[in-house]
Amino acid sequence: MSLLVLSVFTGYLPPPMPSVPMPVPEQAPNPPVWHIPSISEDRARQAFATYVSSKCCYSSAPVREGVITNMESFNTYRYRLETFKESRSTEWSQEPYTGQPVDAGVQPAPGPWQIAAQSPAFFQEHKQTIKVPYTSSVKNCHLCLGMGRNPCTTCAGAGNKVCQMCNGSGYRHSNDRCTNCNGRGRENCSSCSGRGSCQCDTCRGKGKLLVFINLNVKWSIEKDDFLAQDSSGLRVKKLEEVSGKELYKDAQYMVYPVRGFPDASVAQASERLVRDHQVKYAQTSRILQQRQTIELIPITKVNYMWKGKPNVYYVYGNEFKVNADDYPATCCCSVM
């Protein structure tokens, strides 16, 4: 148990070296070159109308009267790498002792990664707490010193306190004896029923604690995205709100970086993120599965004229979201 005990305060525990060679990632084929054509004028107008109708202070006049002069396609790519990993950490725990088995010292405790845990399906986050065998022992409760009770904090252990009805005088209304305290000026403490002490919350009155080590197992997903730069002028933050057309998907124990993709920045990001995930997570966790995807996010820049002045809006994502920062027909109301 000594190695396990020493590691209790070190945070997440590194997994042991594998006893058999880990599977080598399969070389994935180059993704196909896909393209999503620009949307039609009708679709652009429909998306624009939906957007404007959701704004209480926007006039619909530019939608009805505006004339589209040009539509430009600025499709971009989003690369995403997900690593599904298992992490383990240990911590001391305790509970009131009521006769549970005590097994510390019977035999050496298993190592943190030797304990079986039921893993969820890939890419489903989950937590599990397991009591480590052969680490349980009994000790006196440290808060009540094994007494099972602690001094009452309401009356400071006296069992009584100043009578609230007579404020400690013993009398009410001149010479009338206080009926609440029978003239004593003090009344029994309701918190401890006059005993001066209360049951210890830590050991629940048992006086003893079962102390043991808990193993905390956590399955989590680490995710990183990369958005290829485009020259549309739409803020990158907006693209985080939408989905795109999935062009490529690869899932295996360890993925290879994407090779030969038409946009060189995507291939470079894939190589960097795959390397970063291996360095960052393999030291403290057990990597169970990796998944990488590439989406093509459609962006259409719509230029239109209204009242003789040029304006612009963007339609983007599979959801046909619209962004029009400088909408030309808003009323003066504002939401604080």
Side-chain angles (χ1 to χ4, degrees):
M1 186 177 73
S2 58
L3 290 178
L4 184 61
V5 172
L6 288 174
S7 65
V8 167
F9 303 104
T10 61
Y12 285 108
L13 304 165
M17 293 295 292
S19 57
V20 295
M22 301 305 293
V24 177
E26 299 175 4
Q27 182 66 58
N30 291 336
V33 180
W34 287 29
H35 178 72
I36 298 178
S38 298
I39 61 176
S40 66
E41 281 196 18
D42 287 344
R43 192 68 187 84
R45 285 185 178 280
Q46 181 183 349
F48 195 32
T50 301
Y51 168 77
V52 170
S53 66
S54 69
K55 306 289 186 180
C56 64
C57 298
Y58 282 19
S59 166
S60 61
V63 178
R64 299 192 312 269
E65 304 165 4
V67 177
I68 294 177
T69 57
N70 185 34
M71 292 174 56
E72 301 175 85
S73 175
F74 293 92
N75 298 338
T76 190
Y77 299 104
R78 174 164 54 211
Y79 172 82
R80 173 173 293 162
L81 176 64
E82 298 171 279
T83 295
F84 182 62
K85 64 186 183 70
E86 176 184 335
S87 305
R88 297 192 173 199
S89 62
T90 54
E91 63 179 355
W92 284 106
S93 190
Q94 62 188 28
E95 62 187 36
Y97 178 63
T98 58
Q100 302 96 311
V102 177
D103 56 11
V106 173
Q107 68 180 63
W113 290 94
Q114 295 175 323
I115 298 173
Q118 183 61 48
S119 174
F122 287 156
F123 300 102
Q124 289 189 7
E125 296 192 330
H126 185 59
K127 292 181 180 180
Q128 185 178 358
T129 299
I130 304 170
K131 184 183 291 187
V132 178
Y134 310 113
T135 62
S136 298
S137 60
V138 178
K139 71 167 189 176
N140 283 338
C141 177
H142 55 281
L143 285 184
C144 66
L145 303 179
M147 303 299 293
R149 302 186 69 83
N150 289 312
C152 177
T153 56
T154 302
C155 64
N160 56 69
K161 57 184 180 177
V162 174
C163 178
Q164 294 182 347
M165 300 295 291
C166 66
N167 202 26
S169 67
Y171 294 90
R172 295 179 60 193
H173 308 302
S174 65
N175 294 326
D176 293 340
R177 182 187 295 270
C178 177
T179 57
N180 185 60
C181 63
N182 293 323
R184 295 186 298 116
R186 303 186 69 83
E187 58 180 332
N188 283 347
C189 175
S190 57
S191 297
C192 63
S193 301
R195 299 183 63 177
S197 63
C198 298
Q199 177 178 293
C200 177
D201 290 333
T202 300
C203 66
R204 297 177 190 166
K206 302 301 181 182
K208 294 185 180 296
L209 296 171
L210 184 73
V211 183
F212 53 92
I213 293 176
N214 265 339
L215 174 67
N216 298 314
V217 188
K218 179 182 179 182
W219 293 272
S220 58
I221 304 169
E222 301 295 342
K223 180 178 70 174
D224 279 297
D225 289 352
F226 169 80
L227 271 167
Q229 294 294 321
D230 68 86
S231 56
S232 67
L234 179 66
R235 295 195 303 274
V236 172
K237 192 75 174 175
K238 292 291 184 180
L239 299 178
E240 297 176 2
E241 306 169 356
V242 297
S243 62
K245 175 73 173 180
E246 187 177 279
L247 304 183
Y248 172 73
K249 184 176 183 179
D250 175 31
Q252 49 183 313
Y253 162 65
M254 291 172 60
V255 297
Y256 266 120
V258 174
R259 304 292 185 187
F261 194 75
D263 190 317
S265 68
V266 172
Q268 292 167 2
S270 173
E271 186 168 354
R272 174 176 55 83
L273 291 176
V274 168
R275 181 180 63 249
D276 289 351
H277 275 221
Q278 289 296 326
V279 172
K280 188 173 182 180
Y281 303 122
Q283 302 301 315
T284 58
S285 308
R286 177 179 284 166
I287 294 178
L288 303 178
Q289 187 83 346
Q290 288 187 309
R291 179 169 65 195
Q292 57 183 347
T293 56
I294 298 176
E295 293 174 281
L296 179 60
I297 304 177
I299 304 172
T300 301
K301 183 178 181 180
V302 183
N303 297 280
Y304 69 101
M305 297 290 293
W306 184 65
K307 290 188 175 182
K309 294 182 179 180
N311 296 278
V312 64
Y313 65 88
Y314 295 89
V315 183
Y316 56 100
N318 286 344
E319 298 82 0
F320 299 105
K321 279 206 168 190
V322 169
N323 182 68
D325 286 337
D326 299 316
Y327 190 71
T330 62
C331 66
C332 58
C333 69
S334 61
V335 178
M336 300 300 292

